[in-house]
Amino acid sequence: MSEARFVLMGDIVEANGKTVRENNEVIGHNIPVGTLVEVKYDDWYGDGACLKAHARLWVVKQGRDCDGSPLYWLSRWKNPESAELFRDMVGGFSEKSLTIIEVTPEIVYGTGALCWPEN
């Protein structure tokens, strides 16, 4: 009987002879820190508690997943130091889950802000 073994996703070798992690680590972050983005996400806290969010937030941190994929952390604070100070970040978002929002004078003054749909 053979012994069960597991392989981490990032350690899988792809057709080019490099691991998934090696291939992903050369992929750059295309959304700079300081960019306003729109995101939809949900969190399950357990015991019936949950959150469903549709938000416009600032990119305050770039990082990587365990397989080397680029990820982003977001905050209501534009300044990354404020986000860290207040521990006010949500994160681990892929680029494809974020929509860049152009900051125009109208956006700054709240025109076109997210709102609840009419019932």
Side-chain angles (χ1 to χ4, degrees):
M1 189 193 288
S2 66
E3 209 173 294
R5 104 177 242 246
F6 68 94
V7 176
L8 299 174
M9 279 295 292
D11 294 335
I12 294 173
V13 178
E14 297 188 300
N16 65 357
K18 294 182 180 182
T19 65
V20 169
R21 185 177 302 102
E22 289 171 321
N23 285 321
N24 286 342
E25 286 176 347
V26 298
I27 299 171
H29 288 86
N30 293 315
I31 305 175
V33 169
T35 301
L36 184 64
V37 296
E38 193 167 306
V39 64
K40 292 179 181 179
Y41 68 96
D42 57 72
D43 280 325
W44 173 252
Y45 302 118
D47 295 327
C50 61
L51 169 76
K52 184 173 183 172
H54 183 185
R56 287 188 183 158
L57 300 168
W58 299 99
V59 174
V60 291
K61 183 178 176 183
Q62 298 170 330
R64 294 197 178 266
D65 199 350
C66 60
D67 71 356
S69 299
L71 297 176
Y72 299 88
W73 278 257
L74 313 175
S75 176
R76 66 185 177 125
W77 303 100
K78 186 175 183 177
N79 182 328
E81 289 81 23
S82 295
E84 286 281 347
L85 176 67
F86 293 108
R87 304 211 189 287
D88 185 19
M89 287 187 282
V90 291
F93 295 104
S94 67
E95 184 176 327
K96 69 181 179 183
S97 68
L98 306 175
T99 301
I100 295 173
I101 302 298
E102 181 183 357
V103 180
T104 63
E106 292 80 16
I107 292 291
V108 170
Y109 291 114
T111 303
L114 298 175
C115 59
W116 294 107
E118 299 284 331
N119 288 335

